[in-house]
Amino acid sequence: MATMRAMAMTQAGAPEVLALTDVERPVRVNAELLVRVVAAGVNPIDAKTRAGKGAFPGITAFPVVLGNDFSGIVEEAPYEAHPLQPGTEVYGMGMVPRMSGAYAEYLTVNALSVIRKPSALSHVEAAGVPLAALTAWGMVVETAKAHEGQRMLIHAGAGGVGHFAVQFAAYFGAHVIATGSARNASWLRELGAAEVLDYSAVRFDEVLAPVDAVIDLIGNVADDTGSRSLRVLRPGGVIVNAPTGSWPTMVEDAATAGVRATGFRVTPDGSTLAIVSRLLESGAVKVYVDQVFDLENVADAHRAIESGHTRGKLVLKVSDG
């Protein structure tokens, strides 16, 4: 078997369990693509899985390579007439551990989860898009139904998912209230937030008029943010929560408060990513990359994302594009 360079883990633990090693290069089968990875996104689910939570229960064998979203170049196509032929620049996402991860020189992925990379984006920028943007789209557009006249509260608006959520909600006409730090206030307004609440200075549930929807990217892991959000929802409003395990009693608590609640889990859908790509190409939506790390420094990227204070996305540079 051919081998490749990857940051792999053989057990759950601290960021140091991610080690540079040679692993077997994945073999493309059926309708999969083999992609040479140029850059890979780093997401909170990666850190959770590494620590033994998140998708860790789905791991059946080690070593495991993490990393769901990527940008790269097609190495092998499913068949001769496939639209994504070798040499095509693409981006997309899969789902670790059901797929080979992007913290490696190559990965295999279902062709339906991959589309051409927007020409307006570099590989590094493109790698920061798929998981975060698809999560934001699913929460804001598909679930909360962002529309003109709607009041939408978005927690952690400056983060990877959050900065896309703010832009999508504003694009569809919602009045966006974002929580964030003082240093990110002006930037969040540039993204489309009509109001920004500094979480260190005010308690949103004490100053905010009723809202129609809450995009909850925190849950109850910090200052009971999820539970407090129920107090600002109008009767019949909806709260959409993403972080896994962040608020186990959410549905029951929401029912008691007379509002609707749902979790959200992202799907690696190339057709939806194509819509996002058109917004990126037109400039209506932008991706912000906060820091770029070399592949071998992925442990530092995990420490950064676990700090909870990144602006936009963290990306790994895996190879030359």
Side-chain angles (χ1 to χ4, degrees):
M1 294 288 291
T3 62
M4 65 179 182
R5 191 171 60 109
M7 291 299 296
M9 56 182 272
T10 57
Q11 62 181 6
E16 290 74 22
V17 301
L18 297 165
L20 187 63
T21 185
D22 287 334
V23 300
E24 290 184 355
R25 195 171 89 170
V27 177
R28 188 203 62 75
V29 297
N30 299 325
E32 293 177 339
L33 295 165
L34 176 67
V35 176
R36 179 170 67 82
V37 180
V38 176
V42 179
N43 297 284
I45 187 63
D46 301 351
K48 288 182 179 181
T49 301
R50 185 217 72 233
K53 300 176 182 179
F56 188 84
I59 296 173
T60 57
F62 292 100
V64 169
V65 179
L66 301 178
N68 290 296
D69 45 6
F70 61 88
S71 184
I73 300 168
V74 175
E75 190 83 2
E76 296 177 8
Y79 51 89
E80 292 77 6
H82 193 275
L84 302 177
Q85 285 295 300
T88 306
E89 294 186 326
V90 296
Y91 79 138
M93 66 169 288
M95 298 297 283
V96 171
R98 307 301 188 200
M99 62 160 278
S100 55
Y103 295 2
E105 292 180 299
Y106 296 90
L107 59 75
T108 53
V109 62
N110 188 309
L112 292 178
S113 301
V114 181
I115 64 171
R116 292 179 183 272
K117 180 184 73 67
S119 59
L121 301 185
S122 67
H123 281 291
V124 165
E125 292 169 325
V129 173
L131 188 147
L134 289 175
T135 301
W137 184 274
M139 297 178 76
V140 170
V141 182
E142 296 177 354
T143 306
K145 310 295 185 186
H147 59 271
E148 188 172 349
Q150 182 186 41
R151 288 174 53 82
M152 183 178 292
L153 171 63
I154 299 175
H155 289 304
V161 175
H163 87 294
F164 283 116
V166 169
Q167 293 179 83
F168 292 153
Y171 180 83
F172 284 100
H175 179 93
V176 179
I177 307 107
T179 62
S181 64
R183 81 177 183 96
N184 287 323
S186 60
W187 181 63
L188 284 166
R189 291 191 179 91
E190 290 175 10
L191 294 179
E195 303 176 48
V196 179
L197 301 179
D198 179 359
Y199 62 82
S200 67
V202 298
R203 295 181 68 79
F204 68 88
D205 52 315
E206 295 178 355
V207 301
L208 194 59
V211 300
D212 303 292
V214 175
I215 304 302
D216 179 18
L217 302 173
I218 300 177
N220 277 348
V221 297
D223 200 20
D224 291 331
T225 298
S227 295
R228 289 166 51 217
S229 297
L230 300 179
R231 303 173 192 168
V232 301
L233 271 172
R234 64 165 179 77
V238 63
I239 182 167
V240 189
N241 169 276
T244 56
S246 62
W247 185 7
T249 60
M250 175 187 68
V251 174
E252 294 84 356
D253 294 349
T256 300
V259 298
R260 296 172 292 140
T262 180
F264 181 81
R265 301 294 177 264
V266 66
T267 299
D269 177 22
S271 61
T272 302
L273 186 58
I275 299 172
V276 174
S277 289
R278 289 195 288 273
L279 295 175
L280 290 164
E281 290 276 24
S282 71
V285 170
K286 301 182 186 299
V287 56
Y288 181 87
V289 176
D290 192 7
Q291 296 182 73
V292 181
F293 299 82
D294 290 334
L295 177 63
E296 55 267 31
N297 296 326
V298 66
D300 292 333
H302 274 226
R303 294 186 192 98
I305 206 158
E306 287 178 320
S307 75
H309 297 296
T310 58
R311 174 189 283 190
K313 291 290 301 181
L314 304 181
V315 174
L316 301 179
K317 182 70 183 299
V318 179
S319 68
D320 293 329

